[in-house]
Amino acid sequence: MKNTPLAPTQLYKPCNIGHLTFDSTTELEDIEITVGQERAMDAIKFGIRIHKNGYNIFAMAPAGTGTLTAVRQLVEHEASRQAIPSDWCYVHNFRQPATPLAIQLQAGQGKTFKADMEELIDELSVAIPIAFEGDGYRSRAGEIESQSRQREINEFSELRDSAANAHIMLSETPTGYSFTPATEENQEISPEEFNKLDKDKQHEIQQAIIGLQERLTQLLKKFPTWRKEAKRKLQALNRETAELAVNHSIDELIEKYAKQPAVLAYLQAVQKNIIDHVGDFIPHGEKMFPFMEMPQESDPFKRYRVNLMVDLSDKKSAPVIYEDHPNYSNLLGRIDHQAYMGSLVTDFTMIKPGDLHKANGGYLILDARKLLFQPYAWETLKRTLQAGEIRVESLERALSLISTSSLEPQPIPLNVKIILCGDPLIYYLLSEYDPDFHDLFKVAADFDRAVAREDASLNYARLLATIARNEKLRPLSQNAVARVIEHSSRMTGDAEKLLIHLRSIKDLLTEADYWAADNGHPHITNSDVQQAIDHKIHRLDKIREKLYENIHRGTVLIDTEGKVTGQINALSVLQLGEFSFGQPSRITATTRLGSGKVVDIERETELGGAIHSKGVLILSSFIAARYSRTSPFSIAASLVFEQSYGFVEGDSASLAELCAILSSIAQVPLRQDLAITGSVNQLGHVQPIGGVNEKIEGFFDICVKKGLTGTQGVIIPETNIKHLMLRWDVVHAAENHQFNIYAVATVDEALELLTGMEAGIANEQGIYPPESFNGQIAAQLQHFTMLKKDFDKKSEL
């Protein structure tokens, strides 16, 4: 019979102080926070160095593991070895104003080009008005206008003289021109006097007036043509004057950017547009001629400005951008609008860059969860990567929610490496449900929460030193480092592992630093670390305290002494936020004559999960296969978690349930001073479970409340021994033989501990010794079978 408890040395794996060859962490050098993450780091290096489409990276790690920091450090190091990408800017499209042009420039030239255009505008704003105010321009313009007016005056004078020779007066009226007869002294003849003239004279005058009116009509038809000619001459003069003022400044820029075709073409378009709209450079008050008096824009020079979208003049390497709020506009950019005269207006200067613009030619790091939470951000990112270009458009327009005209900026070619950081669950869900995911994110970097503890103490101490320095905390003493290492193993639930969840470590060190300051310690000591651990538990354990209080007061029934048939103490773990604790639960089983069915009351009431139901089915198969291979399985059994009013899930209680059923069948009582945890398979082997430390401590706390007897303890799977990192009070109780931890590999070993009987081994004929526990079960099942046969015979009669 195997009933020897585990040695205290098996319950806790202390840190070997001999491996920590320092007095405090001030003596230790910094270390990369990616210690133990070689697999993930290799994947990221591969992903950022392969320059092929689709080889973007998904870094899989739970929040708080330092993934983002590690990725940024690695990417920034890689980016420092790469050339600075291009600047990008938008300029006005003079042919199609609604489609601004994108111009690519060498890094740093975008800022220079923008300044050059601003300087050009300033120069022309001065040079053009001066040119048009000069004496030469005024003289020539005045001559053209004078000639045009003189021509009209001469023609009118000639017509007036012809009329005077015919004794007809030409006069101007509010409605036009009129001819009236006159005397030889050029006195107007009244209608009465005209009627007194003889008919021949009247006819002669009328014919003369008709002829003069025809000449006047022809003359008035010529005036618009003559004025157009004068206007064309003035426009030619204006163009000539503007070219003299503009060409010098523009030619300097054309020469400067002669090797850049896109800029050169734009400058030539600017030159033509300025000459065609030279009037915009002359203020209204200074305009001299009617042909220039046309409505002006509020800022006519805006169309010549440069909207610098990407300025890398201050960069020394490829950009690395992290976006904390990856919504549609922040990723893709946006087109702003301005209220004007009761409406919203926009232009190319209101195009704002997004993260894809800023990271173009470099790296963009995003939080996958935040990205997926933003409406249409994920689909937009995929579409942009697939198209290989950044197309700025409003979300409303992209979704066809509006049909108003707007800007359609020329797309910018995209060359960026995307690194998504997120929980592994997000990666697997996207892999399963998004057919585009693996086409775009071919590299998975899988970060681990824990690393092997063996021979890692010194590197872990360097990690603690690095975190303490980065967070400006006190250095840790040697014993403090040892305590953190031990607690790190406890947080992983594995004595052979160390936690590398940086947020948890940083929080522990921050709180220990607070207590060190409160205690007046220059260094963080062992007691400061323990105080931080204890205080955090105290902040979170109110519910545990209430549950244990109910057990102690008898409200929740848990026995820690005596023996009861068909009743056993099982152990479960409750997880409440960052705090988890063990909770003992009473399981009872009843058996009777039946048809071989084990009723799981939790499942029947829909309070049991699928895994729990699976465990019950496995144990029922085990009982039937072991004890009723050659005869009917003629029992009915019922299982229930007593005083359980919530959902039950998991199979870690299947060993306890099996022992309770077998106890009820054999009518052999089970020890109530022992609690048990473990799952079982169909062959009777005990399998490991999670939360073993919390489960043991949970029953220990109940026993302490009720009083330790020295016989109390917990039965755990043998395969869970390597996970034990129990509290010191539990270890001390085990050292003093006040509390015992037993490890079992089979159901029989557990039954021997719970009943104090030999389990018994079947002989070659499959018969168990009658005095053994298995023998009594076999006998009882045989009795049930006989009763079933007698019952069936009576039913047939």
Side-chain angles (χ1 to χ4, degrees), residues 284-323:
H284 279 291
E286 299 182 15
K287 289 190 175 179
M288 302 295 296
F289 309 108
F291 71 89
M292 289 186 178
E293 295 178 359
M294 298 173 63
Q296 285 188 316
E297 301 176 29
S298 59
D299 185 5
F301 310 134
K302 182 183 286 187
R303 60 178 175 267
Y304 307 119
R305 292 195 168 96
V306 173
N307 181 3
L308 184 56
M309 296 285 287
V310 180
D311 177 17
L312 301 177
S313 58
D314 60 341
K315 297 290 184 181
K316 297 181 180 179
S317 62
V320 178
I321 304 297
Y322 169 70
E323 177 54 62

Short mmCIF file of all heavy atoms in Angstrom, two decimals, residues 284-323:
data_model
loop_
_atom_site.label_atom_id
_atom_site.label_comp_id
_atom_site.label_asym_id
_atom_site.label_seq_id
_atom_site.Cartn_x
_atom_site.Cartn_y
_atom_site.Cartn_z
N HIS A 284 -7.26 94.11 -55.64
CA HIS A 284 -8.39 94.79 -56.29
C HIS A 284 -8.17 96.29 -56.36
O HIS A 284 -8.41 96.92 -57.38
CB HIS A 284 -9.69 94.53 -55.51
CG HIS A 284 -10.29 93.19 -55.83
ND1 HIS A 284 -10.85 92.90 -57.04
CD2 HIS A 284 -10.40 92.07 -55.07
CE1 HIS A 284 -11.29 91.66 -57.03
NE2 HIS A 284 -11.04 91.14 -55.84
N GLY A 285 -7.71 96.85 -55.27
CA GLY A 285 -7.60 98.30 -55.21
C GLY A 285 -6.58 98.85 -56.18
O GLY A 285 -6.61 100.03 -56.52
N GLU A 286 -5.66 98.01 -56.65
CA GLU A 286 -4.61 98.49 -57.52
C GLU A 286 -4.89 98.17 -58.98
O GLU A 286 -4.09 98.47 -59.84
CB GLU A 286 -3.28 97.86 -57.12
CG GLU A 286 -2.88 98.24 -55.70
CD GLU A 286 -1.53 97.67 -55.33
OE1 GLU A 286 -0.80 97.24 -56.25
OE2 GLU A 286 -1.21 97.64 -54.15
N LYS A 287 -6.02 97.55 -59.24
CA LYS A 287 -6.31 97.22 -60.63
C LYS A 287 -6.71 98.47 -61.39
O LYS A 287 -7.52 99.26 -60.92
CB LYS A 287 -7.41 96.14 -60.70
CG LYS A 287 -6.89 94.79 -60.24
CD LYS A 287 -7.87 93.70 -60.54
CE LYS A 287 -7.26 92.35 -60.17
NZ LYS A 287 -8.18 91.26 -60.42
N MET A 288 -6.14 98.62 -62.58
CA MET A 288 -6.30 99.87 -63.33
C MET A 288 -7.36 99.77 -64.42
O MET A 288 -7.87 100.77 -64.88
CB MET A 288 -4.96 100.23 -63.99
CG MET A 288 -3.82 100.41 -62.99
SD MET A 288 -4.07 101.80 -61.89
CE MET A 288 -4.04 103.15 -63.06
N PHE A 289 -7.68 98.55 -64.85
CA PHE A 289 -8.48 98.41 -66.05
C PHE A 289 -9.67 97.50 -65.81
O PHE A 289 -9.58 96.54 -65.06
CB PHE A 289 -7.62 97.87 -67.20
CG PHE A 289 -6.34 98.67 -67.37
CD1 PHE A 289 -5.13 98.13 -67.00
CD2 PHE A 289 -6.40 99.95 -67.86
CE1 PHE A 289 -3.98 98.88 -67.12
CE2 PHE A 289 -5.25 100.69 -68.00
CZ PHE A 289 -4.02 100.17 -67.64
N PRO A 290 -10.74 97.78 -66.47
CA PRO A 290 -11.96 96.99 -66.24
C PRO A 290 -11.78 95.51 -66.51
O PRO A 290 -12.43 94.69 -65.88
CB PRO A 290 -12.97 97.64 -67.20
CG PRO A 290 -12.45 99.00 -67.46
CD PRO A 290 -10.96 98.90 -67.40
N PHE A 291 -10.97 95.14 -67.49
CA PHE A 291 -10.86 93.71 -67.84
C PHE A 291 -10.26 92.89 -66.71
O PHE A 291 -10.34 91.68 -66.70
CB PHE A 291 -10.01 93.53 -69.11
CG PHE A 291 -8.54 93.80 -68.91
CD1 PHE A 291 -7.68 92.80 -68.52
CD2 PHE A 291 -8.04 95.08 -69.12
CE1 PHE A 291 -6.35 93.06 -68.34
CE2 PHE A 291 -6.70 95.34 -68.94
CZ PHE A 291 -5.83 94.33 -68.55
N MET A 292 -9.61 93.54 -65.74
CA MET A 292 -9.03 92.82 -64.61
C MET A 292 -9.99 92.71 -63.44
O MET A 292 -9.72 92.02 -62.48
CB MET A 292 -7.76 93.52 -64.14
CG MET A 292 -6.59 93.39 -65.09
SD MET A 292 -5.12 94.10 -64.36
CE MET A 292 -3.93 93.76 -65.64
N GLU A 293 -11.10 93.41 -63.48
CA GLU A 293 -12.00 93.46 -62.34
C GLU A 293 -12.93 92.24 -62.35
O GLU A 293 -14.07 92.32 -62.76
CB GLU A 293 -12.81 94.76 -62.37
CG GLU A 293 -11.93 95.99 -62.19
CD GLU A 293 -12.70 97.28 -62.27
OE1 GLU A 293 -13.93 97.20 -62.49
OE2 GLU A 293 -12.09 98.34 -62.13
N MET A 294 -12.35 91.11 -61.94
CA MET A 294 -13.09 89.85 -61.88
C MET A 294 -13.05 89.35 -60.43
O MET A 294 -12.14 89.69 -59.68
CB MET A 294 -12.45 88.81 -62.80
CG MET A 294 -12.47 89.23 -64.27
SD MET A 294 -11.54 88.10 -65.28
CE MET A 294 -12.48 86.62 -65.03
N PRO A 295 -14.02 88.55 -60.02
CA PRO A 295 -14.03 88.04 -58.65
C PRO A 295 -12.76 87.25 -58.35
O PRO A 295 -12.31 86.44 -59.16
CB PRO A 295 -15.27 87.14 -58.62
CG PRO A 295 -16.12 87.62 -59.73
CD PRO A 295 -15.20 88.11 -60.79
N GLN A 296 -12.17 87.46 -57.19
CA GLN A 296 -10.96 86.76 -56.78
C GLN A 296 -11.27 85.73 -55.70
O GLN A 296 -12.23 85.87 -54.95
CB GLN A 296 -9.93 87.75 -56.24
CG GLN A 296 -9.24 88.57 -57.31
CD GLN A 296 -8.11 89.39 -56.70
OE1 GLN A 296 -8.28 89.98 -55.64
NE2 GLN A 296 -7.00 89.42 -57.38
N GLU A 297 -10.42 84.68 -55.62
CA GLU A 297 -10.52 83.72 -54.53
C GLU A 297 -10.03 84.37 -53.25
O GLU A 297 -9.28 85.35 -53.26
CB GLU A 297 -9.67 82.49 -54.85
CG GLU A 297 -10.05 81.78 -56.12
CD GLU A 297 -9.10 80.63 -56.42
OE1 GLU A 297 -8.55 80.06 -55.44
OE2 GLU A 297 -8.88 80.33 -57.59
N SER A 298 -10.46 83.78 -52.09
CA SER A 298 -10.01 84.32 -50.81
C SER A 298 -8.51 84.20 -50.68
O SER A 298 -7.86 85.07 -50.08
CB SER A 298 -10.72 83.60 -49.66
OG SER A 298 -10.44 82.21 -49.72
N ASP A 299 -7.92 83.13 -51.19
CA ASP A 299 -6.47 82.94 -51.19
C ASP A 299 -6.07 82.34 -52.54
O ASP A 299 -5.95 81.13 -52.67
CB ASP A 299 -6.03 82.03 -50.05
CG ASP A 299 -4.52 81.91 -49.95
OD1 ASP A 299 -3.82 82.61 -50.71
OD2 ASP A 299 -4.04 81.13 -49.11
N PRO A 300 -5.89 83.19 -53.56
CA PRO A 300 -5.62 82.65 -54.90
C PRO A 300 -4.28 81.94 -54.99
O PRO A 300 -4.04 81.19 -55.94
CB PRO A 300 -5.64 83.90 -55.78
CG PRO A 300 -5.33 85.03 -54.86
CD PRO A 300 -5.93 84.65 -53.54
N PHE A 301 -3.38 82.17 -54.02
CA PHE A 301 -2.06 81.54 -54.09
C PHE A 301 -2.05 80.13 -53.50
O PHE A 301 -1.04 79.43 -53.59
CB PHE A 301 -1.04 82.40 -53.34
CG PHE A 301 -1.07 83.85 -53.73
CD1 PHE A 301 -1.05 84.86 -52.79
CD2 PHE A 301 -1.14 84.22 -55.07
CE1 PHE A 301 -1.09 86.20 -53.15
CE2 PHE A 301 -1.18 85.55 -55.45
CZ PHE A 301 -1.15 86.55 -54.49
N LYS A 302 -3.16 79.71 -52.87
CA LYS A 302 -3.19 78.40 -52.22
C LYS A 302 -2.94 77.28 -53.22
O LYS A 302 -2.31 76.27 -52.89
CB LYS A 302 -4.55 78.20 -51.54
CG LYS A 302 -4.64 76.87 -50.80
CD LYS A 302 -6.01 76.64 -50.19
CE LYS A 302 -6.23 77.51 -48.98
NZ LYS A 302 -7.48 77.16 -48.27
N ARG A 303 -3.40 77.45 -54.45
CA ARG A 303 -3.25 76.38 -55.43
C ARG A 303 -1.80 76.13 -55.82
O ARG A 303 -1.49 75.11 -56.45
CB ARG A 303 -4.09 76.67 -56.68
CG ARG A 303 -3.74 77.94 -57.42
CD ARG A 303 -4.62 78.07 -58.67
NE ARG A 303 -4.42 79.33 -59.38
CZ ARG A 303 -5.15 80.41 -59.19
NH1 ARG A 303 -6.13 80.38 -58.29
NH2 ARG A 303 -4.92 81.51 -59.87
N TYR A 304 -0.90 77.08 -55.49
CA TYR A 304 0.51 76.90 -55.81
C TYR A 304 1.31 76.37 -54.62
O TYR A 304 2.51 76.14 -54.73
CB TYR A 304 1.13 78.23 -56.27
CG TYR A 304 0.36 78.88 -57.39
CD1 TYR A 304 -0.21 80.15 -57.23
CD2 TYR A 304 0.18 78.24 -58.61
CE1 TYR A 304 -0.92 80.75 -58.24
CE2 TYR A 304 -0.54 78.83 -59.63
CZ TYR A 304 -1.09 80.08 -59.44
OH TYR A 304 -1.80 80.67 -60.46
N ARG A 305 0.63 76.19 -53.50
CA ARG A 305 1.34 75.69 -52.32
C ARG A 305 1.51 74.17 -52.40
O ARG A 305 0.88 73.50 -53.21
CB ARG A 305 0.60 76.08 -51.05
CG ARG A 305 0.63 77.59 -50.78
CD ARG A 305 0.23 77.91 -49.35
NE ARG A 305 0.54 79.30 -49.04
CZ ARG A 305 -0.31 80.29 -49.12
NH1 ARG A 305 -1.56 80.06 -49.52
NH2 ARG A 305 0.05 81.53 -48.82
N VAL A 306 2.34 73.64 -51.51
CA VAL A 306 2.64 72.21 -51.48
C VAL A 306 2.13 71.63 -50.17
O VAL A 306 2.43 72.16 -49.09
CB VAL A 306 4.16 71.96 -51.61
CG1 VAL A 306 4.49 70.49 -51.41
CG2 VAL A 306 4.66 72.45 -52.96
N ASN A 307 1.35 70.55 -50.25
CA ASN A 307 0.88 69.84 -49.07
C ASN A 307 1.86 68.69 -48.80
O ASN A 307 1.80 67.65 -49.45
CB ASN A 307 -0.53 69.30 -49.29
CG ASN A 307 -1.07 68.57 -48.07
OD1 ASN A 307 -0.42 68.50 -47.02
ND2 ASN A 307 -2.24 68.00 -48.19
N LEU A 308 2.77 68.92 -47.88
CA LEU A 308 3.80 67.92 -47.58
C LEU A 308 3.20 66.84 -46.69
O LEU A 308 2.97 67.05 -45.50
CB LEU A 308 4.99 68.60 -46.90
CG LEU A 308 6.21 67.72 -46.60
CD1 LEU A 308 6.72 67.06 -47.87
CD2 LEU A 308 7.30 68.54 -45.93
N MET A 309 2.94 65.67 -47.27
CA MET A 309 2.31 64.57 -46.54
C MET A 309 3.31 63.81 -45.67
O MET A 309 3.02 63.45 -44.54
CB MET A 309 1.66 63.60 -47.53
CG MET A 309 0.53 64.20 -48.33
SD MET A 309 -0.97 64.39 -47.38
CE MET A 309 -1.50 62.69 -47.25
N VAL A 310 4.48 63.54 -46.20
CA VAL A 310 5.50 62.76 -45.50
C VAL A 310 6.79 63.54 -45.53
O VAL A 310 7.34 63.79 -46.61
CB VAL A 310 5.70 61.37 -46.13
CG1 VAL A 310 6.77 60.59 -45.37
CG2 VAL A 310 4.40 60.59 -46.17
N ASP A 311 7.26 63.95 -44.37
CA ASP A 311 8.50 64.70 -44.25
C ASP A 311 9.49 63.88 -43.42
O ASP A 311 9.30 63.70 -42.22
CB ASP A 311 8.23 66.05 -43.59
CG ASP A 311 9.51 66.85 -43.38
OD1 ASP A 311 10.52 66.53 -44.04
OD2 ASP A 311 9.50 67.80 -42.57
N LEU A 312 10.50 63.36 -44.06
CA LEU A 312 11.50 62.54 -43.39
C LEU A 312 12.84 63.27 -43.26
O LEU A 312 13.89 62.63 -43.17
CB LEU A 312 11.69 61.22 -44.14
CG LEU A 312 10.44 60.35 -44.28
CD1 LEU A 312 10.73 59.11 -45.09
CD2 LEU A 312 9.90 59.95 -42.91
N SER A 313 12.78 64.59 -43.27
CA SER A 313 14.02 65.37 -43.21
C SER A 313 14.77 65.17 -41.89
O SER A 313 15.98 65.33 -41.83
CB SER A 313 13.71 66.85 -43.40
OG SER A 313 12.79 67.31 -42.42
N ASP A 314 14.04 64.84 -40.81
CA ASP A 314 14.68 64.65 -39.52
C ASP A 314 14.94 63.19 -39.19
O ASP A 314 15.35 62.87 -38.07
CB ASP A 314 13.81 65.27 -38.42
CG ASP A 314 12.43 64.63 -38.36
OD1 ASP A 314 12.02 64.00 -39.36
OD2 ASP A 314 11.74 64.76 -37.33
N LYS A 315 14.71 62.29 -40.15
CA LYS A 315 14.92 60.86 -39.92
C LYS A 315 16.33 60.45 -40.36
O LYS A 315 16.89 61.01 -41.31
CB LYS A 315 13.88 60.03 -40.69
CG LYS A 315 12.44 60.27 -40.25
CD LYS A 315 12.18 59.70 -38.87
CE LYS A 315 10.71 59.85 -38.48
NZ LYS A 315 10.44 59.34 -37.14
N LYS A 316 16.86 59.45 -39.67
CA LYS A 316 18.16 58.91 -40.04
C LYS A 316 18.06 57.47 -40.52
O LYS A 316 19.07 56.84 -40.84
CB LYS A 316 19.11 58.99 -38.84
CG LYS A 316 19.38 60.41 -38.39
CD LYS A 316 20.35 60.44 -37.21
CE LYS A 316 20.62 61.86 -36.76
NZ LYS A 316 21.55 61.91 -35.59
N SER A 317 16.84 56.94 -40.54
CA SER A 317 16.63 55.56 -40.97
C SER A 317 15.19 55.42 -41.41
O SER A 317 14.41 56.38 -41.40
CB SER A 317 16.96 54.59 -39.83
OG SER A 317 16.09 54.82 -38.73
N ALA A 318 14.82 54.19 -41.78
CA ALA A 318 13.43 53.91 -42.17
C ALA A 318 12.51 54.15 -40.98
O ALA A 318 12.87 53.88 -39.83
CB ALA A 318 13.31 52.47 -42.66
N PRO A 319 11.30 54.66 -41.22
CA PRO A 319 10.39 54.99 -40.10
C PRO A 319 9.82 53.75 -39.43
O PRO A 319 9.56 52.73 -40.08
CB PRO A 319 9.30 55.81 -40.77
CG PRO A 319 9.30 55.35 -42.19
CD PRO A 319 10.72 55.02 -42.52
N VAL A 320 9.62 53.84 -38.13
CA VAL A 320 8.93 52.82 -37.35
C VAL A 320 7.79 53.52 -36.62
O VAL A 320 8.01 54.37 -35.76
CB VAL A 320 9.87 52.13 -36.34
CG1 VAL A 320 9.09 51.11 -35.51
CG2 VAL A 320 11.03 51.47 -37.06
N ILE A 321 6.57 53.19 -36.98
CA ILE A 321 5.39 53.87 -36.45
C ILE A 321 4.56 52.88 -35.64
O ILE A 321 4.28 51.77 -36.10
CB ILE A 321 4.52 54.47 -37.59
CG1 ILE A 321 5.35 55.41 -38.47
CG2 ILE A 321 3.31 55.18 -37.02
CD1 ILE A 321 5.88 56.62 -37.76
N TYR A 322 4.17 53.31 -34.44
CA TYR A 322 3.21 52.54 -33.64
C TYR A 322 1.95 53.38 -33.47
O TYR A 322 2.01 54.52 -33.03
CB TYR A 322 3.77 52.17 -32.28
CG TYR A 322 2.72 51.61 -31.35
CD1 TYR A 322 2.17 50.35 -31.59
CD2 TYR A 322 2.23 52.35 -30.27
CE1 TYR A 322 1.19 49.83 -30.77
CE2 TYR A 322 1.24 51.84 -29.44
CZ TYR A 322 0.73 50.57 -29.69
OH TYR A 322 -0.26 50.07 -28.89
N GLU A 323 0.82 52.82 -33.85
CA GLU A 323 -0.46 53.52 -33.74
C GLU A 323 -1.28 52.90 -32.63
O GLU A 323 -1.63 51.71 -32.70
CB GLU A 323 -1.22 53.48 -35.06
CG GLU A 323 -2.60 54.12 -35.01
CD GLU A 323 -2.56 55.55 -34.48
OE1 GLU A 323 -1.90 56.38 -35.13
OE2 GLU A 323 -3.16 55.82 -33.43
#
